[in-house]
């Protein structure tokens, strides 16, 4: 009885021991899950440190840059008023008029004095006027003359002068910005080199102009406060009434409402510019990246768990079958044997099949690589000089700048030119084209290039209608035009001119490309002509052609033309003589029905 109880205890212990041990599939699954969680954890840390955190910092820095830009524009505006006042003070007539006094009873003389002062103000302001008014006062602060004649608080600054003497807010040197009624005035004394004060000049700043400077910043509201914390333009809403003069020159902080407040204080004016942006507008892109990363990581984890589970199950299935066969062995079937067990082992067969597949796949890839390499070599030999990657990059960069500036017409026009050029470049490169097609492509190219150089580049194309159907290889004119832009205009001042002339006469056609650049350097023309002769000799002997010059290359283009026209083509290039700047390229061909 005791033995029976002991045997039962051992069976129960063995049962629980087996239950507590993990299967091989579960071990493999948990191992892969732990590794996956580690990789995903590293990915989350990477996204937060390398993507989200820099993106947040960049977004905040963009707000600070925007408010700094507005502050700089305000400084430039105030500085322009300072320069305007300097132009008035540079006239000795102002001192003469103010020194004689404005107390005369002669109406005609008073009228002449006012007219002369207004003339001086007109000469200082110029044709463009971005101020509200300009006023000249006497030494007591009484108004003498106004440029426009606005009425109101600008009639006198006596009160401000008395106040400044009492509190010492202004000593009279330099300039001061003071609010007069609903506008801010730029006030400075009219004094000579000896420091003698003859009067005061006040320039009323244009509130509408100041308001326009604060617009167009994007999301958020812009506010401008003076040294005393009063708004320079407009009013501050109640929810932003806590804006105060900061201790530092510029920076970004978060207020009590969660808004991001970027500020920049001007050292010259003492004004502080604030850009208040709601938190959701600042961190919106950051949160989008964060939530998208969390969603992708979660989806990846779920898919990975499912994949690892079924992969481990499939991988261990042959072992389970082997275990099942082992369990079936007993005394009654001891003769149970495996028929060629190496062929029934799924792991070995799978490995052999995979190795065989890899070998066949590798052979197939090698054959495909050889065939593709030969095809690419053949296509590159014909197209290597037809597309200028830096040109396409520059055009796309110019398109992006025009798009940022809102120039939709320019973007549309450039995209059309680029689309037509690319379509022309990649379509049927082995088919001949007409001279009209080449000229149209050249127009697209020059139109795109002109978006970069604008008015600095001038070009004209003159072509006889009779020569439009002349047959040419594709893309033989662009290299000569590109050579002018890339090399001829490097060291000369604009405007740069390119003139293309096409004529047909007496069975001949002629293309002349002329520029006003620096011309070819000494010895360069001889070098190019020598390369042309070597290229022709190599083509006859079946050797390798010399390297091309430029994007497509002058040698390459002339060589393709001579393959088509043989000895019926004449090529010449020369620098202009008699003091004329630039160089000319001439291509003359004979019209025949058979090209080869």
């Amino acid at each position: 009885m005791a033995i029976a109880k002991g045997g039962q205890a051992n069976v129960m212990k063995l049962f629980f021991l087996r239950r507590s041990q993990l299967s091989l599939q579960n071990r493999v699954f948990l191992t892969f899950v732990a590794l996956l969680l580690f990789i995903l954890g590293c990915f989350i840390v990477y996204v937060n440190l390398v993507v989200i955190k820099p993106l947040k910092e960049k977004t905040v820095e963009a707000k600070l840059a925007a408010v700094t830009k507005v502050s700089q524009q305000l400084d430039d505006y105030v500085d322009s008023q300072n320069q305007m006042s300097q132009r008035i003070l540079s006239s000795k007539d102002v001192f003469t008029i103010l020194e004689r006094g404005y107390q005369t009873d002669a109406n005609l003389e008073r009228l002449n004095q006012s007219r002369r002062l207004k003339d001086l103000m007109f000469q200082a302001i110029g044709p463009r006027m971005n101020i509200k008014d300009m006023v000249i006062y006497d030494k007591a602060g009484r108004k003498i003359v106004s440029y426009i004649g606005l009425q109101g608080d600008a009639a006198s600054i006596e009160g401000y002068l008395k106040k400044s003497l009492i509190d010492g807010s202004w000593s009279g040197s330099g300039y001061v910005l003071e609010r007069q009624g609903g506008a801010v005035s730029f006030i400075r004394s009219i004094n000579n080199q000896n420091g003698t004060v003859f009067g005061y000049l006040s320039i009323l700043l244009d509130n509408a102009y100041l308001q326009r400077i604060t617009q167009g910043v994007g999301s958020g509201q812009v506010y401008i406060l003076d040294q005393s914390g009063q708004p320079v333009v407009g009013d501050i809403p109640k929810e932003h009434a806590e804006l105060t003069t900061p201790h530092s020159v510029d920076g970004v902080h978060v207020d009590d409402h969660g808004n991001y407040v970027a500020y920049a204080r001007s050292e010259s004016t003492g004004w502080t510019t604030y850009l208040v942006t709601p938190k959701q507008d600042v961190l919106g892109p950051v949160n989008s990246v964060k939530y998208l990363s969390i969603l992708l990581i979660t989806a990846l984890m779920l898919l990975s768990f499912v994949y690892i589970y079924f992969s481990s199950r499939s991988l261990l299935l042959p072992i389970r079958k082997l275990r099942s066969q082992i369990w079936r062995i007993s005394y009654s079937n001891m003769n149970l044997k495996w028929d060629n067990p190496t062929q029934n082992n799924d792991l070995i067969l799978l490995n052999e099949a995979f190795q065989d597949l890899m070998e066949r796949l590798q052979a197939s890839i090698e054959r495909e690589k050889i065939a593709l390499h030969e095809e690419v070599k053949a296509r590159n030999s014909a197209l290597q000089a037809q597309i200028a990657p830096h040109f396409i990059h520059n055009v796309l960069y110019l398109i992006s700048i025009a798009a940022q500036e809102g120039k939709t017409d320019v973007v549309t026009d450039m995209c059309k030119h680029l689309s037509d050029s690319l379509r022309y470049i990649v379509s049927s490169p082995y088919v001949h084209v007409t001279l009209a097609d080449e000229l149209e492509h050249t127009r697209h190219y020059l139109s795109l290039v002109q978006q970069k150089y604008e008015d600095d580049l001038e070009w004209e194309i003159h072509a006889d209608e009779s020569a439009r159907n002349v047959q040419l290889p594709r893309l033989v004119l662009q290299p000569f035009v590109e050579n002018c832009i890339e090399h001829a205009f490097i060291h000369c001042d604009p405007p740069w001119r390119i003139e293309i002339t096409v004529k047909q006469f007496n069975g001949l056609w002629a293309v002349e490309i002329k520029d006003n650049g620096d011309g070819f350097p000494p010895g360069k023309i001889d070098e190019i002509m020598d390369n042309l002769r070597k290229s022709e000799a190599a083509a006859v002997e079946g050797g390798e052609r010399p390297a091309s010059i430029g994007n497509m290359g002058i040698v390459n283009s002339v060589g393709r033309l001579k393959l088509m026209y043989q000895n019926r083509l004449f090529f010449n290039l020369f620098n202009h003589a008699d003091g004329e700047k630039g160089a000319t390229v001439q291509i003359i061909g004979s019209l025949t029905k058979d090209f080869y």
Side-chain angles (χ1 to χ4, degrees):
M1 190 70 176
I3 296 175
K5 289 183 178 179
Q8 185 177 5
N10 291 333
V11 171
M12 295 297 295
K13 182 178 180 181
L14 180 61
F15 173 77
F16 284 108
L17 181 61
R18 289 183 176 179
R19 291 289 302 272
S20 62
Q21 291 178 348
L22 296 175
S23 64
L24 182 58
Q25 177 184 355
N26 291 336
R27 289 182 179 180
V28 173
F29 176 77
L30 292 178
T31 301
F32 277 102
V33 167
L35 180 61
L36 177 64
L37 290 177
F38 174 77
I39 294 175
L40 292 178
C42 294
F43 179 73
I44 292 175
V45 174
Y46 173 82
V47 169
N48 279 276
L49 295 180
V50 180
V51 178
I52 296 179
K53 185 177 179 181
L55 181 60
K56 180 179 178 181
E57 293 175 352
K58 185 177 181 180
T59 305
V60 173
E61 290 174 359
K63 296 299 178 182
L64 181 59
V67 74
T68 304
K69 180 179 180 181
V70 173
S71 179
Q72 182 61 44
Q73 290 176 343
L74 292 172
D75 288 348
D76 293 342
Y77 177 61
V78 174
D79 185 63
S80 66
Q81 313 312 319
N82 186 31
Q83 295 177 7
M84 185 191 305
S85 64
Q86 291 287 352
R87 288 195 294 269
I88 292 179
L89 267 63
S90 63
S91 175
K92 296 182 179 181
D93 292 346
V94 176
F95 303 138
T96 303
I97 295 174
L98 296 180
E99 186 178 14
R100 293 173 56 189
Y102 204 71
Q103 306 300 324
T104 178
D105 295 331
N107 293 331
L108 180 59
E109 184 177 354
R110 179 179 301 177
L111 181 61
N112 290 333
Q113 290 177 342
S114 299
R115 185 176 301 169
R116 180 54 183 160
L117 289 175
K118 285 189 175 183
D119 289 342
L120 294 174
M121 288 189 284
F122 174 77
Q123 294 174 6
I125 294 174
R128 298 183 58 185
M129 182 173 177
N130 55 3
I131 61 174
K132 192 175 181 181
D133 198 359
M134 180 184 292
V135 185
I136 294 179
Y137 303 89
D138 60 11
K139 291 190 293 185
R142 292 169 297 189
K143 176 180 175 182
I144 296 179
V145 63
S146 173
Y147 181 72
I148 297 178
L150 296 177
Q151 301 297 326
D153 295 332
S156 175
I157 58 171
E158 294 181 73
Y160 172 73
L161 294 178
K162 294 179 180 178
K163 175 177 174 298
S164 63
L165 292 175
I166 295 175
D167 56 19
S169 59
W170 185 41
S171 62
S173 61
Y175 66 86
V176 66
L177 298 171
E178 178 68 18
R179 177 178 295 277
Q180 289 183 285
V184 177
S185 295
F186 174 97
I187 303 175
R188 72 173 304 148
S189 60
I190 302 176
N191 53 1
N192 58 14
Q193 297 178 349
N194 299 324
T196 304
V197 177
F198 296 90
Y200 296 91
L201 173 67
S202 174
I203 302 175
L204 276 68
L205 305 185
D206 189 357
N207 287 346
Y209 185 84
L210 294 174
Q211 193 69 38
R212 285 196 300 270
I213 294 178
T214 62
Q215 296 174 353
V217 182
S219 59
Q221 297 293 328
V222 178
Y223 306 103
I224 305 172
L225 302 183
D226 58 14
Q227 300 92 323
S228 60
Q230 297 299 318
V232 175
V233 181
D235 298 324
I236 300 179
K238 293 182 179 180
E239 60 269 19
H240 300 152
E242 69 276 7
L243 295 177
T244 57
T245 303
H247 298 290
S248 58
V249 176
D250 55 18
V252 180
H253 69 272
V254 181
D255 62 10
D256 298 336
H257 303 285
N259 300 317
Y260 277 77
V261 181
Y263 60 88
R265 187 177 63 199
S266 171
E267 296 293 341
S268 59
T269 62
W271 292 352
T272 304
T273 305
Y274 294 88
L275 174 59
V276 182
T277 309
K279 183 178 181 180
Q280 59 272 18
D281 292 341
V282 176
L283 301 181
V286 178
N287 292 332
S288 299
V289 174
K290 181 190 298 184
Y291 298 147
L292 181 60
S293 301
I294 294 175
L295 180 62
L296 291 176
I297 292 172
T298 304
L300 180 61
M301 290 181 62
L302 294 177
L303 292 176
S304 300
F305 288 157
V306 175
Y307 175 78
I308 292 174
Y309 175 79
F310 286 102
S311 296
S312 61
R313 181 179 178 182
S314 176
L315 181 64
L316 299 175
L317 184 59
I319 299 177
R320 290 183 176 180
K321 290 183 178 181
L322 177 60
R323 183 182 62 183
S324 177
Q325 292 291 341
I326 294 175
W327 281 351
R328 289 173 57 188
I329 297 177
S330 62
Y331 286 103
S332 60
N333 57 356
M334 288 296 294
N335 295 326
L336 183 64
K337 296 183 180 296
W338 290 76
D339 295 332
N340 195 3
T342 56
Q343 296 181 0
N344 294 330
N345 191 323
D346 291 340
L347 292 177
I348 297 178
L349 292 177
L350 180 61
N351 180 64
E352 294 177 352
F354 180 77
Q355 292 297 328
D356 181 70
L357 174 62
M358 289 297 294
E359 292 175 0
R360 289 185 283 110
L361 182 60
Q362 184 69 24
S364 177
I365 291 175
E366 289 297 330
R367 290 193 299 269
E368 187 69 20
K369 283 174 62 178
I370 293 174
L372 182 61
H373 182 65
E374 294 299 325
E375 179 184 356
V376 170
K377 284 176 62 179
R379 289 181 60 84
N380 282 345
S381 64
L383 299 177
Q384 62 180 352
Q386 294 181 6
I387 301 177
H390 68 278
F391 165 69
I392 297 176
H393 171 77
N394 291 338
V395 170
L396 294 176
Y397 180 71
L398 292 174
I399 290 175
S400 67
I401 292 177
Q404 292 174 2
E405 294 177 353
K407 300 179 179 179
T408 56
D409 294 338
V410 174
V411 172
T412 302
D413 187 61
M414 292 184 69
C415 288
K416 182 180 183 302
H417 286 302
L418 181 60
S419 174
D420 293 339
S421 294
L422 293 178
R423 186 183 300 110
Y424 181 77
I425 289 173
V426 302
S427 61
S428 302
Y430 307 106
V431 179
H432 294 147
V433 296
T434 64
L435 185 54
D437 294 334
E438 275 292 284
L439 293 176
E440 185 64 21
H441 171 70
T442 305
R443 288 189 181 93
H444 291 312
Y445 172 79
L446 287 171
S447 297
L448 291 171
V449 172
Q450 192 165 29
Q451 295 299 327
K452 177 180 179 181
Y453 298 102
E454 298 181 346
D455 294 337
D456 290 343
L457 179 62
E458 301 174 358
W459 55 272
E460 292 180 313
I461 297 179
H462 307 284
D464 292 345
E465 289 296 325
S466 57
R468 296 178 62 85
N469 294 324
V470 172
Q471 296 289 307
L472 294 174
R474 188 182 299 270
L475 296 170
V476 293
L477 295 185
Q478 179 182 333
F480 303 105
V481 177
E482 189 175 9
N483 186 73
C484 297
I485 296 173
E486 296 294 334
H487 302 288
F489 301 142
I490 294 179
H491 302 294
C492 65
D493 297 329
W496 305 313
R497 291 187 296 275
I498 298 177
E499 184 177 353
I500 302 175
T501 305
V502 178
K503 294 182 180 181
Q504 179 178 337
F505 51 93
N506 297 332
L508 300 175
W509 59 267
V511 177
E512 189 177 82
I513 302 172
K514 181 179 179 182
D515 66 74
N516 66 335
D518 294 328
F520 291 96
K524 190 65 176 180
I525 295 178
D526 294 337
E527 178 186 345
I528 295 174
M529 300 304 292
D530 185 60
N531 286 337
L532 286 174
R533 287 188 290 269
K534 291 179 181 179
S535 177
E536 293 175 5
V540 173
E541 298 173 1
E544 184 178 358
R545 292 176 177 269
S548 60
I549 302 171
N551 289 338
M552 286 176 54
I554 295 177
V555 174
N556 181 280
S557 298
V558 176
R560 294 168 62 206
L561 281 167
K562 290 196 173 184
L563 282 175
M564 182 173 180
Y565 282 89
Q566 298 296 329
N567 59 349
R568 296 184 297 276
L569 184 81
F570 172 80
F571 174 77
N572 186 31
L573 67 164
F574 57 89
N575 290 328
H576 299 157
D578 299 329
E580 183 180 0
K581 296 181 61 178
T584 296
V585 174
Q586 290 180 339
I587 305 173
I588 302 175
S590 175
L591 293 174
T592 60
K593 293 183 179 180
D594 299 324
F595 295 111
Y596 300 99

